[in-house]
Amino acid sequence: METSYKSVESSNIIISELMLPSHTNFSGKIHGGYILSLLDQIAFACASKFSGHYCVTASVDTVDFLAPIEVGELVTMKASVNYTGKTSMIIGIRVEAENIQTGKVKHCNSSYFTMVAKDSNGNNTAVPGLILKTDNDVRRFYNCIKMISNKKEKQNHEETFDYKSEEAINNLSQYHVKVER
């Protein structure tokens, strides 16, 4: 089977939504859970558009809340495929909020979702390869390779680390914890 390729720009999705009082948390800011829901929606749309298949969220790799979002601000989310594997894609999402009265825009969130393409039977299916046209495309692709490597390293560390050893228990004294076993 011959691999097809698509450009990063062919995956681009932009959505904007006005933040309403019904989206707030108890402190009057836009609820992070609401933003997470929107992030998942745009990641799905981006991955499905790029792959041509129904896609599911395999993992939410990074969600960095950088600035609070206020009621009345226009939130714009920009998503693109930053990395492709055989059946998976890493979607990068940038969230900006604009005060529609002053025009001031702030970067509020950066997120990375791993999405997997599914065929009509629910099995993983191949996705197109990625054409990297710009320095930004290459930078983002390499950042994803590093992210995947760090994720694997962390999983391997968790599998082999002996948290019950005397050394591990004694090492906890440097943290704000009390061990009672």
Side-chain angles (χ1 to χ4, degrees), residues 168-180:
I169 298 300
N170 289 339
N171 192 37
L172 291 175
S173 65
Q174 66 182 312
Y175 300 99
H176 190 70
V177 298
K178 184 177 178 181
V179 178
E180 294 180 351

Side-chain angles (χ1 to χ4, degrees), residues 61-62 90 112 142-151:
D61 302 310
T62 305
I90 296 178
Y112 297 92
Y142 268 114
N143 282 344
C144 289
I145 290 171
K146 183 177 180 183
M147 196 166 52
I148 292 166
S149 174
N150 289 343
K151 193 175 182 181

Side-chain angles (χ1 to χ4, degrees), residues 10 17 28 33 36 42-45 72-73 82 85 97 100 106 113 120 123 128 141 145 148 158 160 164 174 176 180:
S10 73
E17 184 173 331
L36 283 169
I42 196 170
F44 167 81
E73 290 184 323
N82 290 357
I100 57 177
K106 60 186 173 184
F113 281 57
S120 58
N123 298 313
F141 190 87
I145 290 171
I148 292 166
E158 288 176 1
T160 60
K164 294 180 182 180
Q174 66 182 312
H176 190 70
E180 294 180 351

Side-chain angles (χ1 to χ4, degrees), residues 119-139:
D119 65 17
S120 58
N121 296 320
N123 298 313
N124 293 359
T125 190
V127 300
L130 201 56
I131 300 171
L132 307 175
K133 292 184 177 183
T134 69
D135 289 345
N136 249 354
D137 294 347
V138 173
R139 178 185 58 80

